[in-house]
PDB file of all heavy atoms in Angstrom:
ATOM      1  N   LYS A   1      -5.232 -15.702  -4.434  1.00 87.00           N
ATOM      2  CA  LYS A   1      -3.823 -15.630  -4.038  1.00 87.00           C
ATOM      3  C   LYS A   1      -3.655 -15.042  -2.644  1.00 87.00           C
ATOM      4  O   LYS A   1      -2.535 -14.825  -2.193  1.00 87.00           O
ATOM      5  CB  LYS A   1      -3.026 -14.800  -5.038  1.00 87.00           C
ATOM      6  CG  LYS A   1      -2.995 -15.379  -6.445  1.00 87.00           C
ATOM      7  CD  LYS A   1      -2.157 -14.505  -7.371  1.00 87.00           C
ATOM      8  CE  LYS A   1      -2.108 -15.105  -8.772  1.00 87.00           C
ATOM      9  NZ  LYS A   1      -1.312 -14.251  -9.696  1.00 87.00           N
ATOM     10  N   SER A   2      -4.790 -14.756  -1.968  1.00 89.00           N
ATOM     11  CA  SER A   2      -4.750 -14.126  -0.637  1.00 89.00           C
ATOM     12  C   SER A   2      -3.870 -12.881  -0.658  1.00 89.00           C
ATOM     13  O   SER A   2      -3.092 -12.641   0.275  1.00 89.00           O
ATOM     14  CB  SER A   2      -4.230 -15.126   0.407  1.00 89.00           C
ATOM     15  OG  SER A   2      -5.103 -16.215   0.530  1.00 89.00           O
ATOM     16  N   THR A   3      -4.012 -12.105  -1.691  1.00 92.00           N
ATOM     17  CA  THR A   3      -3.132 -10.961  -1.901  1.00 92.00           C
ATOM     18  C   THR A   3      -3.925  -9.695  -2.178  1.00 92.00           C
ATOM     19  O   THR A   3      -4.901  -9.707  -2.934  1.00 92.00           O
ATOM     20  CB  THR A   3      -2.173 -11.224  -3.077  1.00 92.00           C
ATOM     21  OG1 THR A   3      -1.388 -12.390  -2.780  1.00 92.00           O
ATOM     22  CG2 THR A   3      -1.247 -10.046  -3.305  1.00 92.00           C
ATOM     23  N   MET A   4      -3.487  -8.615  -1.540  1.00 94.00           N
ATOM     24  CA  MET A   4      -4.018  -7.286  -1.796  1.00 94.00           C
ATOM     25  C   MET A   4      -2.930  -6.476  -2.482  1.00 94.00           C
ATOM     26  O   MET A   4      -1.741  -6.686  -2.231  1.00 94.00           O
ATOM     27  CB  MET A   4      -4.417  -6.608  -0.490  1.00 94.00           C
ATOM     28  CG  MET A   4      -4.891  -5.164  -0.654  1.00 94.00           C
ATOM     29  SD  MET A   4      -5.388  -4.395   0.904  1.00 94.00           S
ATOM     30  CE  MET A   4      -3.812  -4.227   1.726  1.00 94.00           C
ATOM     31  N   TYR A   5      -3.355  -5.552  -3.321  1.00 97.00           N
ATOM     32  CA  TYR A   5      -2.408  -4.737  -4.064  1.00 97.00           C
ATOM     33  C   TYR A   5      -2.647  -3.254  -3.804  1.00 97.00           C
ATOM     34  O   TYR A   5      -3.747  -2.834  -3.467  1.00 97.00           O
ATOM     35  CB  TYR A   5      -2.531  -5.006  -5.570  1.00 97.00           C
ATOM     36  CG  TYR A   5      -2.357  -6.448  -5.945  1.00 97.00           C
ATOM     37  CD1 TYR A   5      -3.460  -7.264  -6.151  1.00 97.00           C
ATOM     38  CD2 TYR A   5      -1.083  -6.998  -6.092  1.00 97.00           C
ATOM     39  CE1 TYR A   5      -3.309  -8.600  -6.484  1.00 97.00           C
ATOM     40  CE2 TYR A   5      -0.925  -8.330  -6.424  1.00 97.00           C
ATOM     41  CZ  TYR A   5      -2.034  -9.128  -6.624  1.00 97.00           C
ATOM     42  OH  TYR A   5      -1.874 -10.450  -6.950  1.00 97.00           O
ATOM     43  N   LEU A   6      -1.600  -2.479  -3.977  1.00 98.00           N
ATOM     44  CA  LEU A   6      -1.719  -1.029  -3.958  1.00 98.00           C
ATOM     45  C   LEU A   6      -1.057  -0.513  -5.228  1.00 98.00           C
ATOM     46  O   LEU A   6       0.167  -0.545  -5.347  1.00 98.00           O
ATOM     47  CB  LEU A   6      -1.045  -0.414  -2.731  1.00 98.00           C
ATOM     48  CG  LEU A   6      -1.174   1.105  -2.629  1.00 98.00           C
ATOM     49  CD1 LEU A   6      -2.628   1.509  -2.394  1.00 98.00           C
ATOM     50  CD2 LEU A   6      -0.282   1.664  -1.518  1.00 98.00           C
ATOM     51  N   GLN A   7      -1.875  -0.086  -6.175  1.00 98.00           N
ATOM     52  CA  GLN A   7      -1.370   0.503  -7.405  1.00 98.00           C
ATOM     53  C   GLN A   7      -1.155   1.985  -7.165  1.00 98.00           C
ATOM     54  O   GLN A   7      -2.086   2.707  -6.814  1.00 98.00           O
ATOM     55  CB  GLN A   7      -2.356   0.294  -8.556  1.00 98.00           C
ATOM     56  CG  GLN A   7      -1.936   0.952  -9.862  1.00 98.00           C
ATOM     57  CD  GLN A   7      -0.697   0.302 -10.452  1.00 98.00           C
ATOM     58  OE1 GLN A   7      -0.591  -0.914 -10.538  1.00 98.00           O
ATOM     59  NE2 GLN A   7       0.257   1.139 -10.867  1.00 98.00           N
ATOM     60  N   MET A   8       0.070   2.431  -7.345  1.00 98.00           N
ATOM     61  CA  MET A   8       0.420   3.822  -7.083  1.00 98.00           C
ATOM     62  C   MET A   8       0.852   4.484  -8.386  1.00 98.00           C
ATOM     63  O   MET A   8       1.824   4.047  -9.021  1.00 98.00           O
ATOM     64  CB  MET A   8       1.553   3.893  -6.049  1.00 98.00           C
ATOM     65  CG  MET A   8       1.241   3.157  -4.757  1.00 98.00           C
ATOM     66  SD  MET A   8       2.518   3.369  -3.500  1.00 98.00           S
ATOM     67  CE  MET A   8       3.876   2.490  -4.254  1.00 98.00           C
ATOM     68  N   ASN A   9       0.129   5.508  -8.771  1.00 98.00           N
ATOM     69  CA  ASN A   9       0.426   6.251  -9.998  1.00 98.00           C
ATOM     70  C   ASN A   9       0.776   7.700  -9.670  1.00 98.00           C
ATOM     71  O   ASN A   9       0.491   8.186  -8.570  1.00 98.00           O
ATOM     72  CB  ASN A   9      -0.776   6.208 -10.937  1.00 98.00           C
ATOM     73  CG  ASN A   9      -1.142   4.804 -11.361  1.00 98.00           C
ATOM     74  OD1 ASN A   9      -0.282   3.937 -11.527  1.00 98.00           O
ATOM     75  ND2 ASN A   9      -2.433   4.555 -11.525  1.00 98.00           N
ATOM     76  N   SER A  10       1.369   8.368 -10.625  1.00 98.00           N
ATOM     77  CA  SER A  10       1.730   9.784 -10.469  1.00 98.00           C
ATOM     78  C   SER A  10       2.462  10.030  -9.160  1.00 98.00           C
ATOM     79  O   SER A  10       2.138  10.941  -8.393  1.00 98.00           O
ATOM     80  CB  SER A  10       0.456  10.658 -10.530  1.00 98.00           C
ATOM     81  OG  SER A  10      -0.249  10.449 -11.731  1.00 98.00           O
ATOM     82  N   LEU A  11       3.461   9.219  -8.910  1.00 98.00           N
ATOM     83  CA  LEU A  11       4.175   9.303  -7.643  1.00 98.00           C
ATOM     84  C   LEU A  11       4.958  10.596  -7.511  1.00 98.00           C
ATOM     85  O   LEU A  11       5.489  11.137  -8.491  1.00 98.00           O
ATOM     86  CB  LEU A  11       5.104   8.100  -7.508  1.00 98.00           C
ATOM     87  CG  LEU A  11       4.383   6.787  -7.145  1.00 98.00           C
ATOM     88  CD1 LEU A  11       5.258   5.582  -7.416  1.00 98.00           C
ATOM     89  CD2 LEU A  11       3.957   6.815  -5.683  1.00 98.00           C
ATOM     90  N   LEU A  12       5.010  11.079  -6.271  1.00 97.00           N
ATOM     91  CA  LEU A  12       5.669  12.331  -5.928  1.00 97.00           C
ATOM     92  C   LEU A  12       6.805  12.048  -4.954  1.00 97.00           C
ATOM     93  O   LEU A  12       6.773  11.048  -4.229  1.00 97.00           O
ATOM     94  CB  LEU A  12       4.659  13.283  -5.269  1.00 97.00           C
ATOM     95  CG  LEU A  12       3.381  13.571  -6.047  1.00 97.00           C
ATOM     96  CD1 LEU A  12       2.372  14.283  -5.153  1.00 97.00           C
ATOM     97  CD2 LEU A  12       3.689  14.401  -7.281  1.00 97.00           C
ATOM     98  N   PRO A  13       7.797  12.916  -4.901  1.00 97.00           N
ATOM     99  CA  PRO A  13       8.875  12.711  -3.917  1.00 97.00           C
ATOM    100  C   PRO A  13       8.351  12.576  -2.492  1.00 97.00           C
ATOM    101  O   PRO A  13       8.917  11.814  -1.700  1.00 97.00           O
ATOM    102  CB  PRO A  13       9.734  13.967  -4.094  1.00 97.00           C
ATOM    103  CG  PRO A  13       9.529  14.350  -5.527  1.00 97.00           C
ATOM    104  CD  PRO A  13       8.077  14.044  -5.801  1.00 97.00           C
ATOM    105  N   GLU A  14       7.279  13.268  -2.176  1.00 96.00           N
ATOM    106  CA  GLU A  14       6.721  13.173  -0.830  1.00 96.00           C
ATOM    107  C   GLU A  14       6.020  11.845  -0.544  1.00 96.00           C
ATOM    108  O   GLU A  14       5.583  11.600   0.579  1.00 96.00           O
ATOM    109  CB  GLU A  14       5.763  14.334  -0.548  1.00 96.00           C
ATOM    110  CG  GLU A  14       4.742  14.586  -1.635  1.00 96.00           C
ATOM    111  CD  GLU A  14       5.176  15.686  -2.593  1.00 96.00           C
ATOM    112  OE1 GLU A  14       6.360  15.676  -3.024  1.00 96.00           O
ATOM    113  OE2 GLU A  14       4.323  16.555  -2.908  1.00 96.00           O
ATOM    114  N   ASP A  15       5.918  10.998  -1.553  1.00 97.00           N
ATOM    115  CA  ASP A  15       5.393   9.650  -1.329  1.00 97.00           C
ATOM    116  C   ASP A  15       6.472   8.704  -0.801  1.00 97.00           C
ATOM    117  O   ASP A  15       6.184   7.548  -0.474  1.00 97.00           O
ATOM    118  CB  ASP A  15       4.821   9.074  -2.631  1.00 97.00           C
ATOM    119  CG  ASP A  15       3.557   9.793  -3.086  1.00 97.00           C
ATOM    120  OD1 ASP A  15       2.718  10.113  -2.222  1.00 97.00           O
ATOM    121  OD2 ASP A  15       3.425  10.032  -4.307  1.00 97.00           O
ATOM    122  N   THR A  16       7.691   9.180  -0.729  1.00 98.00           N
ATOM    123  CA  THR A  16       8.781   8.368  -0.211  1.00 98.00           C
ATOM    124  C   THR A  16       8.541   8.013   1.247  1.00 98.00           C
ATOM    125  O   THR A  16       8.326   8.890   2.087  1.00 98.00           O
ATOM    126  CB  THR A  16      10.120   9.121  -0.344  1.00 98.00           C
ATOM    127  OG1 THR A  16      10.406   9.320  -1.735  1.00 98.00           O
ATOM    128  CG2 THR A  16      11.249   8.340   0.303  1.00 98.00           C
ATOM    129  N   ALA A  17       8.537   6.725   1.533  1.00 98.00           N
ATOM    130  CA  ALA A  17       8.246   6.245   2.886  1.00 98.00           C
ATOM    131  C   ALA A  17       8.386   4.727   2.915  1.00 98.00           C
ATOM    132  O   ALA A  17       8.567   4.083   1.882  1.00 98.00           O
ATOM    133  CB  ALA A  17       6.832   6.633   3.304  1.00 98.00           C
ATOM    134  N   VAL A  18       8.289   4.183   4.116  1.00 98.00           N
ATOM    135  CA  VAL A  18       8.116   2.740   4.275  1.00 98.00           C
ATOM    136  C   VAL A  18       6.617   2.469   4.263  1.00 98.00           C
ATOM    137  O   VAL A  18       5.866   3.090   5.027  1.00 98.00           O
ATOM    138  CB  VAL A  18       8.748   2.224   5.574  1.00 98.00           C
ATOM    139  CG1 VAL A  18       8.492   0.727   5.731  1.00 98.00           C
ATOM    140  CG2 VAL A  18      10.252   2.513   5.585  1.00 98.00           C
ATOM    141  N   TYR A  19       6.213   1.577   3.402  1.00 98.00           N
ATOM    142  CA  TYR A  19       4.796   1.259   3.245  1.00 98.00           C
ATOM    143  C   TYR A  19       4.474  -0.037   3.977  1.00 98.00           C
ATOM    144  O   TYR A  19       5.168  -1.046   3.811  1.00 98.00           O
ATOM    145  CB  TYR A  19       4.451   1.135   1.762  1.00 98.00           C
ATOM    146  CG  TYR A  19       4.333   2.477   1.084  1.00 98.00           C
ATOM    147  CD1 TYR A  19       5.454   3.307   0.939  1.00 98.00           C
ATOM    148  CD2 TYR A  19       3.112   2.948   0.629  1.00 98.00           C
ATOM    149  CE1 TYR A  19       5.353   4.556   0.351  1.00 98.00           C
ATOM    150  CE2 TYR A  19       2.996   4.196   0.029  1.00 98.00           C
ATOM    151  CZ  TYR A  19       4.118   4.991  -0.098  1.00 98.00           C
ATOM    152  OH  TYR A  19       4.007   6.227  -0.690  1.00 98.00           O
ATOM    153  N   TYR A  20       3.400   0.012   4.758  1.00 98.00           N
ATOM    154  CA  TYR A  20       2.992  -1.127   5.562  1.00 98.00           C
ATOM    155  C   TYR A  20       1.605  -1.612   5.179  1.00 98.00           C
ATOM    156  O   TYR A  20       0.712  -0.820   4.901  1.00 98.00           O
ATOM    157  CB  TYR A  20       2.964  -0.749   7.042  1.00 98.00           C
ATOM    158  CG  TYR A  20       4.300  -0.389   7.632  1.00 98.00           C
ATOM    159  CD1 TYR A  20       4.730   0.936   7.645  1.00 98.00           C
ATOM    160  CD2 TYR A  20       5.129  -1.365   8.167  1.00 98.00           C
ATOM    161  CE1 TYR A  20       5.956   1.276   8.188  1.00 98.00           C
ATOM    162  CE2 TYR A  20       6.362  -1.029   8.713  1.00 98.00           C
ATOM    163  CZ  TYR A  20       6.764   0.289   8.712  1.00 98.00           C
ATOM    164  OH  TYR A  20       7.989   0.616   9.254  1.00 98.00           O
ATOM    165  N   CYS A  21       1.457  -2.914   5.223  1.00 97.00           N
ATOM    166  CA  CYS A  21       0.155  -3.544   5.040  1.00 97.00           C
ATOM    167  C   CYS A  21      -0.359  -3.959   6.411  1.00 97.00           C
ATOM    168  O   CYS A  21       0.405  -4.472   7.238  1.00 97.00           O
ATOM    169  CB  CYS A  21       0.297  -4.750   4.128  1.00 97.00           C
ATOM    170  SG  CYS A  21      -1.221  -5.699   3.881  1.00 97.00           S
ATOM    171  N   ALA A  22      -1.637  -3.743   6.642  1.00 96.00           N
ATOM    172  CA  ALA A  22      -2.255  -4.098   7.912  1.00 96.00           C
ATOM    173  C   ALA A  22      -3.496  -4.936   7.651  1.00 96.00           C
ATOM    174  O   ALA A  22      -4.197  -4.726   6.656  1.00 96.00           O
ATOM    175  CB  ALA A  22      -2.632  -2.837   8.686  1.00 96.00           C
ATOM    176  N   ALA A  23      -3.764  -5.859   8.555  1.00 94.00           N
ATOM    177  CA  ALA A  23      -4.889  -6.765   8.354  1.00 94.00           C
ATOM    178  C   ALA A  23      -5.625  -7.014   9.657  1.00 94.00           C
ATOM    179  O   ALA A  23      -5.023  -7.073  10.731  1.00 94.00           O
ATOM    180  CB  ALA A  23      -4.411  -8.089   7.766  1.00 94.00           C
ATOM    181  N   SER A  24      -6.928  -7.164   9.524  1.00 92.00           N
ATOM    182  CA  SER A  24      -7.770  -7.567  10.647  1.00 92.00           C
ATOM    183  C   SER A  24      -8.767  -8.604  10.151  1.00 92.00           C
ATOM    184  O   SER A  24      -9.291  -8.470   9.041  1.00 92.00           O
ATOM    185  CB  SER A  24      -8.518  -6.363  11.221  1.00 92.00           C
ATOM    186  OG  SER A  24      -9.440  -6.787  12.214  1.00 92.00           O
ATOM    187  N   LEU A  25      -9.015  -9.587  10.961  1.00 89.00           N
ATOM    188  CA  LEU A  25     -10.016 -10.586  10.597  1.00 89.00           C
ATOM    189  C   LEU A  25     -11.428 -10.053  10.822  1.00 89.00           C
ATOM    190  O   LEU A  25     -12.402 -10.657  10.374  1.00 89.00           O
ATOM    191  CB  LEU A  25      -9.804 -11.870  11.412  1.00 89.00           C
ATOM    192  CG  LEU A  25      -8.503 -12.626  11.128  1.00 89.00           C
ATOM    193  CD1 LEU A  25      -8.381 -13.841  12.028  1.00 89.00           C
ATOM    194  CD2 LEU A  25      -8.407 -13.032   9.668  1.00 89.00           C
ATOM    195  N   ARG A  26     -11.517  -8.909  11.487  1.00 89.00           N
ATOM    196  CA  ARG A  26     -12.819  -8.296  11.724  1.00 89.00           C
ATOM    197  C   ARG A  26     -13.214  -7.411  10.553  1.00 89.00           C
ATOM    198  O   ARG A  26     -12.370  -6.894   9.838  1.00 89.00           O
ATOM    199  CB  ARG A  26     -12.761  -7.451  13.001  1.00 89.00           C
ATOM    200  CG  ARG A  26     -12.447  -8.243  14.264  1.00 89.00           C
ATOM    201  CD  ARG A  26     -12.283  -7.298  15.454  1.00 89.00           C
ATOM    202  NE  ARG A  26     -11.138  -6.427  15.307  1.00 89.00           N
ATOM    203  CZ  ARG A  26     -11.169  -5.118  15.546  1.00 89.00           C
ATOM    204  NH1 ARG A  26     -12.296  -4.537  15.913  1.00 89.00           N
ATOM    205  NH2 ARG A  26     -10.067  -4.392  15.417  1.00 89.00           N
ATOM    206  N   GLY A  27     -14.481  -7.241  10.379  1.00 89.00           N
ATOM    207  CA  GLY A  27     -14.998  -6.314   9.379  1.00 89.00           C
ATOM    208  C   GLY A  27     -15.173  -4.957  10.021  1.00 89.00           C
ATOM    209  O   GLY A  27     -16.152  -4.718  10.727  1.00 89.00           O
TER     210      GLY A  27
END
């Protein structure tokens, strides 16, 4: 599906933010 996931557990108020995905074709 060309998809990456971020499973977030035990979330805290300080986890509040804008979350960004970043990609590079390089290793």
Side-chain angles (χ1 to χ4, degrees):
K1 297 181 179 179
S2 297
T3 300
M4 176 179 70
Y5 304 98
L6 182 67
Q7 177 67 47
M8 305 185 293
N9 299 326
S10 303
L11 284 163
L12 305 168
E14 48 263 45
D15 292 319
T16 296
V18 177
Y19 283 66
Y20 296 92
C21 177
S24 174
L25 294 178
R26 298 175 295 134

